[in-house]
Amino acid sequence: MMSNHDEQFEATHTEGSKMGIDLVGKTVKNKQIIFKGYIDGSPMENDMELKLGDGLKLEVPKGSNAIVVKNLYLSCDPYMRGRMLDFRGSYIPPFTPGSAIEGFGVSKVVDSDDPNFKRGDLVSGITNWEEYSLIHKTDQLRKIEQDDGIPLSYHVGLLGMPGFTAYVGFYEVCDPKKGDYVYVSAASGAVGQLVGQLAKLHGCYVVGSAGTSKKVELLKDKLGFDEAFNYKEELDLDAALMRYFPEGIDIYFDNVGGAMLDAALANMRIHGRVAVCGMVSQTNRTDTQTFLNMFSVISKRVTIKGFLQSDFVHLYARFLEDITGWYKQRKIVYIEDMNNGLESAPAAFVGLFSGKNVGKQVICVASE
Ligand code: NAP
């Protein structure tokens, strides 16, 4: 049963949800998604738990240089699975068991002691899976210059980390040329859907693969891919790629790794390029992948290059300008899969690894 004390918190919270930045100085009970502990294998919903946190005062102490934000949209990204391992040798540290999950989001500033942000500003960057966050690392946030033509949630997708990954991966890593034969795996996802569209804008022939017939239809009908196929219906991936690329592949933008990467290697053209962006098919596996087609790298003089989007931050301004312009000129579109409510986040995250998401997976925590 709710105590008077709880009722007070609830009242404040409901009021706050409506009023946004008028909450300064109030104390709220903060709904959070807590990371329970390190895991092996596929992530499950009960690796995370919804918790009502202790009272959080929505005010930043003077001299802290911190900000308090109300989270509006949160991003579910495959790389977050890597942070559920107790492994410190990666490019990003593991999550802390017992703490709220950290991830990309779009948030509104409630109070600020950082001169770069003021109350009411909209920001995107690293926040936590909770309703309100106290953020000390404000250098991981970017102020959003709001543009009515662009949905706010796109700042974790098209104009956020996944969109940036597609942009730098395609232009900086793939060395694309007009007329190239381009293959994209996980093609309907947050990164893949933009890679395919950029390749089309560049004058390439583009084929994508995805895991359902609905996604395949979207690739061809909405995202402008020349061809698309459901890789789960193919018994022989090598033969499938040979069917779609009778003359071979110039560029393979690899989002999945594993058997698909091996099949693509067998189908590369001379001087082909493989941009290794992600290995979502391998994330939850503990066995080792064997490659049968590595000799092709020599015989076809293939370049295989792994990359991290974070190495290209100097290109962020150019990316924003290009992608915003192309979106407004209707040269590109973007598909989102929006779940409502913080409590929907664990299932949405887990769903990334069985292909439940159709497009960029976003959680709407609160409206502006
Ligand atoms: P996403 O494609 O929106 O979602 C993940 C998709 O992966 C699922 O919808 C599913 O689509 C596919 N998938 C899941 N398990 C699979 C499996 N076992 N085999 C094949 N496909 C599987 O995710 P995203 O955010 O765009 O990320 C795509 C890739 O880019 C990921 O590997 C991610 O780690 C990587 N990434 C890399 C960087 C970087 O800097 N290098 C930055 C961002 C993302 P289907 O229905 O098609 O199976």
Side-chain angles (χ1 to χ4, degrees):
M1 211 174 91
M2 223 186 226
S3 67
N4 282 344
H5 185 62
D6 285 337
E7 277 165 11
Q8 215 177 344
F9 271 124
E10 280 301 314
T12 310
H13 181 72
T14 311
E15 184 192 354
S17 302
K18 287 189 200 124
M19 292 167 66
I21 59 167
D22 297 344
L23 282 160
V24 184
K26 302 257 171 72
T27 299
V28 293
K29 272 204 171 177
N30 200 18
K31 254 197 246 171
Q32 301 178 300
I33 304 291
I34 302 293
F35 172 59
K36 282 164 70 179
Y38 298 117
I39 62 170
D40 290 321
S42 299
M44 294 194 290
E45 282 182 55
N46 64 10
D47 294 323
M48 298 157 263
E49 77 177 329
L50 180 71
K51 218 174 121 181
L52 205 53
D54 297 332
L56 173 70
K57 189 164 187 196
L58 300 182
E59 191 169 62
V60 278
K62 288 271 169 285
S64 64
N65 220 48
I67 67 174
V68 171
V69 297
K70 176 181 179 182
N71 294 312
L72 306 178
Y73 297 100
L74 296 173
S75 179
C76 292
D77 295 289
Y79 83 90
M80 297 166 82
R81 166 64 183 88
R83 301 192 70 185
M84 295 180 164
L85 287 172
D86 189 11
F87 173 61
R88 272 145 234 279
S90 178
Y91 61 94
I92 191 162
F95 290 139
T96 307
S99 296
I101 285 179
E102 195 179 72
F104 287 97
V106 171
S107 317
K108 187 173 216 165
V109 177
V110 175
D111 192 21
S112 173
D113 187 52
D114 181 328
N116 296 312
F117 301 102
K118 61 178 194 313
R119 290 177 189 175
D121 278 351
L122 291 162
V123 294
S124 72
I126 299 293
T127 184
N128 295 319
W129 281 20
E130 56 193 358
E131 288 175 311
Y132 298 92
S133 298
L134 172 63
I135 301 177
H136 289 277
K137 292 183 185 166
T138 53
D139 57 334
Q140 297 185 347
L141 296 171
R142 179 180 64 81
K143 197 173 349 181
I144 297 174
E145 301 304 338
Q146 209 180 358
D147 184 328
D148 288 341
I150 308 262
L152 203 47
S153 56
Y154 279 18
H155 289 273
V156 291
L158 179 66
L159 297 176
M161 185 278 285
F164 187 56
T165 303
Y167 183 88
V168 297
F170 182 66
Y171 293 115
E172 302 300 314
V173 182
C174 292
D175 188 19
K177 294 171 188 64
K178 192 173 175 203
D180 274 349
Y181 292 106
V182 177
Y183 170 50
V184 187
S185 53
S188 68
V191 175
Q193 61 174 303
L194 186 56
V195 174
Q197 293 180 83
L198 297 180
K200 281 308 298 171
L201 282 180
H202 207 75
C204 303
Y205 177 82
V206 189
V207 178
S209 61
T212 66
S213 50
K214 180 182 174 188
K215 293 181 181 183
V216 167
E217 290 315 308
L218 280 174
L219 288 172
K220 291 194 285 191
D221 298 343
K222 186 149 188 217
L223 296 164
F225 283 59
D226 294 291
E227 274 296 347
F229 66 95
N230 181 348
Y231 69 95
K232 289 182 181 167
E233 287 175 350
E234 301 289 343
L235 292 176
D236 182 341
L237 295 175
D238 188 345
L241 290 177
M242 212 179 293
R243 208 163 71 235
Y244 286 100
F245 294 98
E247 294 181 51
I249 300 168
D250 292 297
I251 293 174
Y252 172 38
F253 194 101
D254 184 21
N255 284 314
V256 303
M260 190 59 95
L261 173 56
D262 203 20
L265 288 178
N267 284 278
M268 297 306 290
R269 293 180 96 184
I270 288 176
H271 296 137
R273 285 86 67 204
V274 179
V276 183
C277 175
M279 300 225 164
V280 69
S281 76
Q282 304 299 292
T283 322
N284 302 320
R285 293 176 66 148
T286 45
D287 57 339
T288 313
Q289 166 72 26
T290 307
F291 283 89
L292 303 174
N293 299 314
M294 283 302 283
F295 189 73
S296 177
V297 177
I298 303 170
S299 59
K300 308 274 184 55
R301 285 82 95 198
V302 174
T303 302
I304 305 178
K305 196 167 174 186
F307 73 98
L308 280 178
Q309 51 81 27
S310 49
D311 289 341
F312 296 89
V313 279
H314 57 285
L315 297 177
Y316 201 78
R318 193 182 86 191
F319 153 76
L320 269 188
E321 195 183 325
D322 281 349
I323 297 294
T324 304
W326 295 336
Y327 178 75
K328 288 187 164 181
Q329 293 158 28
R330 297 176 192 272
K331 288 184 176 168
I332 51 177
V333 296
Y334 201 64
I335 300 172
E336 286 184 320
D337 195 334
M338 184 72 75
N339 281 30
N340 280 313
L342 183 67
E343 53 283 357
S344 69
F349 172 70
V350 168
L352 291 176
F353 302 95
S354 55
K356 281 218 174 82
N357 61 307
V358 182
K360 167 67 201 157
Q361 183 66 63
V362 185
I363 309 299
C364 177
V365 182
S367 56
E368 257 190 273

